[in-house]
Amino acid sequence: MDQEKINEFLDRAVAEILPTREMLVDKLKKGPIRVYLGVDPTSPKIHLGNAVALFKLRQLQDMGHQVVLLIGSFTATIGDPSDKTSARTGLTQEQVNQNFKTYKEQASKILDFDKVSLQENGEWWHKMPVSEFMGILSKVTLKQVTERDLFAKRMASGGEVWMHELMYPMLQGYDSVVLDVDLEVGGTDQTFNMLMGRKLQKIYSNKEKCVLSVPLIMGTNGLKMSKSEGNTVDLTDSAPNMYGKLMSIRDEMIPIYAECCTTLPWSEVQEIKENIASSENPIDLKKKVAFEITRFFHDEKSAMDAQNQFKSVVQGGGVPSEMENVTVNPADMKFEDLLMGTGAITSRSEIKRLISGGGCSLDGTVITDPNFEVTPKEGGILKIGKRGYYRININE
Amino acid sequence: MDQEKINEFLDRAVAEILPTREMLVDKLKKGPIRVYLGVDPTSPKIHLGNAVALFKLRQLQDMGHQVVLLIGSFTATIGDPSDKTSARTGLTQEQVNQNFKTYKEQASKILDFDKVSLQENGEWWHKMPVSEFMGILSKVTLKQVTERDLFAKRMASGGEVWMHELMYPMLQGYDSVVLDVDLEVGGTDQTFNMLMGRKLQKIYSNKEKCVLSVPLIMGTNGLKMSKSEGNTVDLTDSAPNMYGKLMSIRDEMIPIYAECCTTLPWSEVQEIKENIASSENPIDLKKKVAFEITRFFHDEKSAMDAQNQFKSVVQGGGVPSEMENVTVNPADMKFEDLLMGTGAITSRSEIKRLISGGGCSLDGTVITDPNFEVTPKEGGILKIGKRGYYRININE
């Protein structure tokens, strides 16, 4: 038992440990524990915010504990309560399977899947009869559920809470009972559900599950990182794109990214914290963290190339050596249509706003009229926003 | 199609018809409809209040419509939301089966069971997986459910609503979808649940179910008739007991009992209403209704005997010719223990209160000390409350 590793585990990238830190320490010392993370594969992409919990699991794997990754194959088919639209439509089982496949590919960069116990909650929820489910519901009051921030806020603002959304805490909570775990890890937005699991596990199995929440990190625009904000750094991002995005985060986020999204030694992370606090010029620290994260998810050489490219393009005003192609017909078309062809942005109104705002150029010339007629030429270079470069490829 | 019968059906013992009376008329005229009444067999006894809906079903049977009686074999095992204690304990399947057996015996006095389609909701609820149930819940918002009087009141008074109780409207509502009915009949306390069924049937089957609520009648003490109030007239009551209880109802209830709990011709019921309104001395009307109800659930002779006995005992001060026996040992015992032996009252504190209050006698002598020592004698007569007569039978 490595006391230092335990301490790092308890201190690094942790928002809260419940019911007490002492209880978790005790469990970790007593022997291999079973820890679980639930993942609703609603999207094929993992972003750095999602990765924080995976890094925590990796720490536990390294200490010899048993990691259970629970695929919310059932919960994902009915959608997440925080998003009403998707809650009404939901994913198909096929989409879930496909998404999880890509999820696993990406998560393999952090977790050792040979040692992960994979579970799917569809296993029990597609079998359990309603009559049995009522037994679970009879352990919880409406008040306990509507205390959840999400529901309370939505109701306070006159929004609707659908009955099936209200079931989420019990669904997620009962997963803990089935998995029979000692610890659950999740974002701070999951604390309520994780504690519901603690409550149910205590009732059903008389077992004291601990809950460890990890911080939610901010995205490239300073808001909480999330797909709907469009501010994510994705594990599938190309090295130049990942590096570029990371160089755009706010300075005060540097230590948090170092702490939560890297395997940099804990002592180095603490140094970065101190240096930021002593208001050293942060650009070098940011480069270090951006490099480290890019290196981790790609490799040393790609990270180096990305760093050089960033230097020449963003800092030097050049264009990147590698960029995506956009294939178009050689006929005249509106500038707006040419940009839509790249697929970089799918909303026509957004592309119009971006053009009008001077955010787009053709061969270095900024064009601000979406209706401007252009004749696409082979090898022409389109720029969309700060880092979106596309080479025109004529369809012959 | 008998217009007069339809009119009587729509007018007699009806609290409300939803969404419109016209829609139900239209259905009734178009041909045989499927109507359903849900029964949670939580008690082996049916009282007159429960019988009101059964009389409505009988009217429909007589017009050639199809009656579905749904046994809440699932809902009864988890208990009724209006009663928290039973909600947490629930009935066993065995109790449900036993209760329904006796329910059927009693209800057979009103309904022709050869023509009833019997269903049990355990059939679908014990099979339906939670995943499918979520689809049902996704059609309803929390607000729509908590608008229910029962829940709103309980929450307003600081009481708890348990999550499984909150499921009731959807459970009962979806029963309608499975049964594919044109009409549901139930007490006014069921209107919310019945309308939930209407909503779900519209969503799932695009079918417009009608809802007919029947009035809740008052019991012998002027409060809503219910087991928990202890003011019921039960279908299993002996003829003298039934007659006696009916003679104790409040005068203004006479026309309602005639309307809701008898098969007296509609014209005669209306006459009774008019006579009560013109404040004729109501004792004869009450006798007529008490006789008619007793006759219906027993027979002509028993009703006649009960009437005569009531006259001699209650009005004349005698004792009934027939009464129950209580078998005891010939040893001295406390008066309290002698009374407990009748089984008329199961609570020792209640029997003490009743004795102290002067409500009990032995051979005509009121005894007010529960500890009074008596020597039981063969043929001795115990009186408990107003109409509880027991003949002592010595165990030899």
Side-chain angles (χ1 to χ4, degrees):
Chain A
M1 177 198 66
D2 187 333
Q3 185 62 48
E4 211 172 302
K5 272 194 172 175
I6 290 184
N7 284 344
E8 180 180 343
F9 176 76
L10 297 167
D11 291 330
R12 183 171 186 169
V14 168
E16 210 175 357
I17 296 173
L18 296 165
T20 61
R21 181 182 168 113
E22 290 64 38
M23 189 186 281
L24 182 54
V25 169
D26 197 47
K27 280 176 186 284
L28 290 171
K29 285 186 177 171
K30 268 190 184 148
I33 65 166
R34 262 169 84 79
V35 55
Y36 114 83
L37 170 72
V39 178
D40 272 13
T42 50
S43 152
K45 285 185 183 175
I46 305 184
H47 60 64
L48 271 191
N50 307 135
V52 182
L54 294 172
F55 277 110
K56 292 308 290 175
L57 296 187
R58 179 60 200 239
Q59 284 185 288
L60 287 165
Q61 277 194 326
D62 289 345
M63 289 191 277
H65 299 289
Q66 169 66 58
V67 168
V68 180
L69 198 66
L70 176 71
I71 323 306
S73 60
F74 166 61
T75 28
T77 56
I78 59 172
D80 191 283
S82 60
D83 175 353
K84 202 207 289 183
T85 317
S86 81
R88 305 306 307 282
T89 56
L91 297 186
T92 65
Q93 184 66 42
E94 205 177 320
Q95 285 171 308
V96 168
N97 294 347
Q98 185 54 41
N99 285 348
F100 180 67
K101 209 180 131 199
T102 52
Y103 180 96
K104 188 178 165 184
E105 274 165 27
Q106 297 160 60
S108 296
K109 290 179 180 163
I110 307 172
L111 277 186
D112 180 353
F113 269 82
D114 290 341
K115 292 185 193 159
V116 164
S117 159
L118 269 184
Q119 304 273 343
E120 283 194 36
N121 63 12
E123 272 298 304
W124 44 96
W125 293 117
H126 286 296
K127 280 178 203 156
M128 185 188 289
V130 172
S131 45
E132 195 179 332
F133 185 54
M134 291 297 139
I136 300 170
L137 295 185
S138 73
K139 311 284 189 270
V140 186
T141 70
L142 175 60
K143 211 162 142 191
Q144 288 165 346
V145 179
T146 49
E147 266 167 7
R148 192 184 178 190
D149 266 14
L150 167 69
F151 297 136
K153 273 184 202 156
R154 202 170 334 144
M155 287 188 291
S157 68
E160 290 292 10
V161 173
W162 294 84
M163 287 304 296
H164 68 303
E165 302 182 84
L166 210 60
M167 300 298 110
Y168 258 83
M170 280 71 71
L171 292 172
Q172 182 173 333
Y174 191 74
D175 286 344
S176 273
V177 176
V178 176
L179 297 173
D180 189 29
V181 288
D182 303 289
L183 172 66
E184 181 174 358
V185 171
T188 50
D189 55 347
Q190 293 300 311
T191 304
F192 183 89
N193 294 339
M194 294 194 285
L195 287 177
M196 183 62 78
R198 176 172 155 73
K199 176 189 169 83
L200 291 179
Q201 231 180 318
K202 210 164 171 179
I203 292 172
Y204 278 91
S205 326
N206 197 26
K207 186 159 183 170
E208 298 270 1
K209 180 182 83 169
C210 290
V211 163
L212 185 150
S213 64
V214 298
L216 300 176
I217 64 171
M218 301 295 128
T220 51
N221 61 356
L223 298 173
K224 189 189 114 180
M225 187 181 288
S226 83
K227 283 190 295 282
S228 53
E229 286 293 345
N231 62 357
T232 60
V233 179
D234 297 322
L235 270 49
T236 51
D237 280 341
S238 69
N241 210 13
M242 185 179 277
Y243 188 90
K245 283 182 180 179
L246 289 167
M247 287 304 290
S248 75
I249 64 170
R250 292 157 68 168
D251 294 346
E252 66 265 35
M253 295 304 297
I254 298 170
I256 297 160
Y257 274 58
E259 175 175 349
C260 297
C261 311
T262 76
T263 54
L264 284 173
W266 190 216
S267 54
E268 246 177 83
V269 172
Q270 280 162 319
E271 257 175 52
I272 293 175
K273 281 188 182 182
E274 279 159 29
N275 289 338
I276 284 280
S278 62
S279 65
E280 187 189 302
N281 181 355
I283 186 77
D284 290 334
L285 295 177
K286 197 183 280 190
K287 276 184 189 168
K288 182 188 173 80
V289 172
F291 180 87
E292 172 56 24
I293 293 175
T294 309
R295 184 202 63 74
F296 184 87
F297 290 109
H298 295 275
D299 56 53
E300 190 90 19
K301 179 168 183 313
S302 307
M304 197 67 81
D305 289 349
Q307 192 164 50
N308 290 334
Q309 181 174 313
F310 181 82
K311 216 171 182 174
S312 90
V313 176
V314 179
Q315 299 183 309
V319 297
S321 54
E322 282 180 37
M323 61 185 93
E324 289 190 47
N325 286 324
V326 49
T327 305
V328 292
N329 292 321
D332 286 2
M333 60 174 73
K334 289 183 189 172
F335 186 53
E336 169 189 345
D337 293 329
L338 183 59
L339 293 188
M340 286 298 286
T342 64
I345 287 168
T346 54
S347 150
R348 196 164 279 273
S349 58
E350 196 181 336
I351 205 100
K352 280 187 185 169
R353 259 199 313 277
L354 206 58
I355 296 171
S356 311
C360 301
S361 66
L362 173 59
D363 292 333
T365 307
V366 172
I367 296 174
T368 56
D369 175 8
N371 292 319
F372 183 74
E373 288 278 335
V374 293
T375 311
K377 289 193 183 70
E378 181 72 26
I381 290 175
L382 287 172
K383 191 176 173 202
I384 304 178
K386 279 189 189 166
R387 279 181 307 280
Y389 289 90
Y390 296 85
R391 194 182 306 275
I392 294 174
N393 179 16
I394 295 296
N395 197 1
E396 294 181 285
Chain B
M1 178 196 67
D2 188 331
Q3 185 61 49
E4 210 171 303
K5 272 193 171 175
I6 291 184
N7 285 344
E8 180 180 341
F9 177 75
L10 297 167
D11 292 330
R12 183 170 185 169
V14 168
E16 211 176 355
I17 297 173
L18 296 164
T20 61
R21 181 181 167 114
E22 289 64 37
M23 187 186 281
L24 182 54
V25 170
D26 197 47
K27 280 177 185 284
L28 290 170
K29 283 185 177 171
K30 268 189 184 147
I33 65 165
R34 262 170 85 78
V35 56
Y36 113 82
L37 170 71
V39 179
D40 272 13
T42 48
S43 151
K45 285 185 182 176
I46 305 183
H47 60 63
L48 272 190
N50 307 136
V52 181
L54 294 172
F55 277 111
K56 293 308 291 176
L57 297 185
R58 179 59 198 242
Q59 283 185 290
L60 288 164
Q61 277 194 326
D62 288 345
M63 290 191 279
H65 300 289
Q66 170 66 58
V67 167
V68 179
L69 198 66
L70 177 70
I71 322 306
S73 61
F74 166 61
T75 27
T77 55
I78 58 171
D80 190 284
S82 59
D83 175 354
K84 202 207 290 183
T85 317
S86 81
R88 305 308 304 282
T89 56
L91 296 187
T92 65
Q93 185 67 41
E94 204 177 320
Q95 286 171 308
V96 168
N97 294 347
Q98 185 54 39
N99 285 349
F100 180 67
K101 209 180 131 199
T102 53
Y103 181 96
K104 189 178 166 186
E105 274 165 28
Q106 297 161 59
S108 295
K109 291 180 178 162
I110 307 173
L111 278 185
D112 179 354
F113 269 81
D114 289 342
K115 292 185 193 159
V116 164
S117 160
L118 269 186
Q119 305 274 344
E120 281 195 40
N121 64 12
E123 273 298 304
W124 44 96
W125 293 117
H126 287 296
K127 280 178 203 157
M128 185 188 288
V130 173
S131 44
E132 194 179 332
F133 186 54
M134 291 298 139
I136 300 170
L137 295 184
S138 73
K139 310 285 189 272
V140 186
T141 69
L142 175 59
K143 210 162 144 193
Q144 288 165 347
V145 179
T146 48
E147 267 167 5
R148 191 182 179 193
D149 267 13
L150 167 68
F151 297 136
K153 272 184 203 157
R154 203 169 334 145
M155 288 187 292
S157 68
E160 290 292 11
V161 173
W162 295 84
M163 288 303 296
H164 69 303
E165 302 183 86
L166 211 59
M167 300 297 111
Y168 258 84
M170 280 71 72
L171 292 172
Q172 181 172 335
Y174 191 74
D175 286 343
S176 273
V177 176
V178 176
L179 297 173
D180 189 29
V181 288
D182 304 288
L183 172 66
E184 182 173 359
V185 171
T188 50
D189 56 346
Q190 293 301 310
T191 304
F192 183 90
N193 294 339
M194 295 194 285
L195 287 176
M196 182 61 78
R198 176 173 154 73
K199 175 188 170 84
L200 292 178
Q201 233 181 316
K202 211 164 170 179
I203 292 173
Y204 278 90
S205 326
N206 197 26
K207 186 159 183 170
E208 299 270 2
K209 180 183 82 168
C210 289
V211 163
L212 185 150
S213 63
V214 298
L216 300 176
I217 64 172
M218 301 297 126
T220 50
N221 61 355
L223 297 173
K224 190 187 113 181
M225 187 181 286
S226 82
K227 282 190 293 283
S228 53
E229 285 294 343
N231 63 357
T232 60
V233 179
D234 298 322
L235 270 50
T236 49
D237 280 342
S238 69
N241 211 13
M242 184 179 278
Y243 188 91
K245 283 183 179 177
L246 290 167
M247 288 305 288
S248 75
I249 64 170
R250 292 156 69 169
D251 294 347
E252 65 266 32
M253 294 305 295
I254 298 170
I256 297 160
Y257 273 58
E259 175 175 348
C260 298
C261 311
T262 76
T263 54
L264 283 173
W266 190 214
S267 54
E268 245 176 84
V269 171
Q270 282 162 318
E271 255 175 56
I272 293 175
K273 282 189 182 181
E274 279 159 30
N275 288 338
I276 284 279
S278 62
S279 63
E280 188 189 302
N281 180 355
I283 187 75
D284 290 335
L285 295 176
K286 195 183 280 188
K287 275 185 191 169
K288 183 189 172 82
V289 172
F291 180 86
E292 173 54 25
I293 293 175
T294 309
R295 185 201 64 75
F296 185 87
F297 290 109
H298 295 273
D299 55 53
E300 190 90 20
K301 182 174 178 311
S302 305
M304 196 67 81
D305 288 348
Q307 191 166 51
N308 289 335
Q309 180 173 313
F310 181 81
K311 216 172 182 175
S312 89
V313 176
V314 179
Q315 300 182 307
V319 298
S321 55
E322 281 181 38
M323 60 185 93
E324 290 191 47
N325 285 324
V326 49
T327 304
V328 292
N329 292 323
D332 285 1
M333 60 174 74
K334 288 183 189 172
F335 186 53
E336 171 191 342
D337 293 329
L338 183 58
L339 294 187
M340 286 299 286
T342 65
I345 288 168
T346 52
S347 150
R348 196 163 279 273
S349 58
E350 195 182 338
I351 205 101
K352 279 186 185 169
R353 258 200 312 279
L354 206 58
I355 297 171
S356 311
C360 302
S361 66
L362 174 59
D363 293 332
T365 307
V366 172
I367 296 173
T368 55
D369 174 10
N371 294 317
F372 183 76
E373 289 278 336
V374 293
T375 311
K377 289 192 185 70
E378 180 73 25
I381 291 174
L382 288 171
K383 192 179 173 198
I384 304 176
K386 278 189 190 169
R387 281 182 304 280
Y389 289 91
Y390 296 84
R391 195 184 306 275
I392 294 173
N393 180 14
I394 295 295
N395 198 359
E396 293 182 284

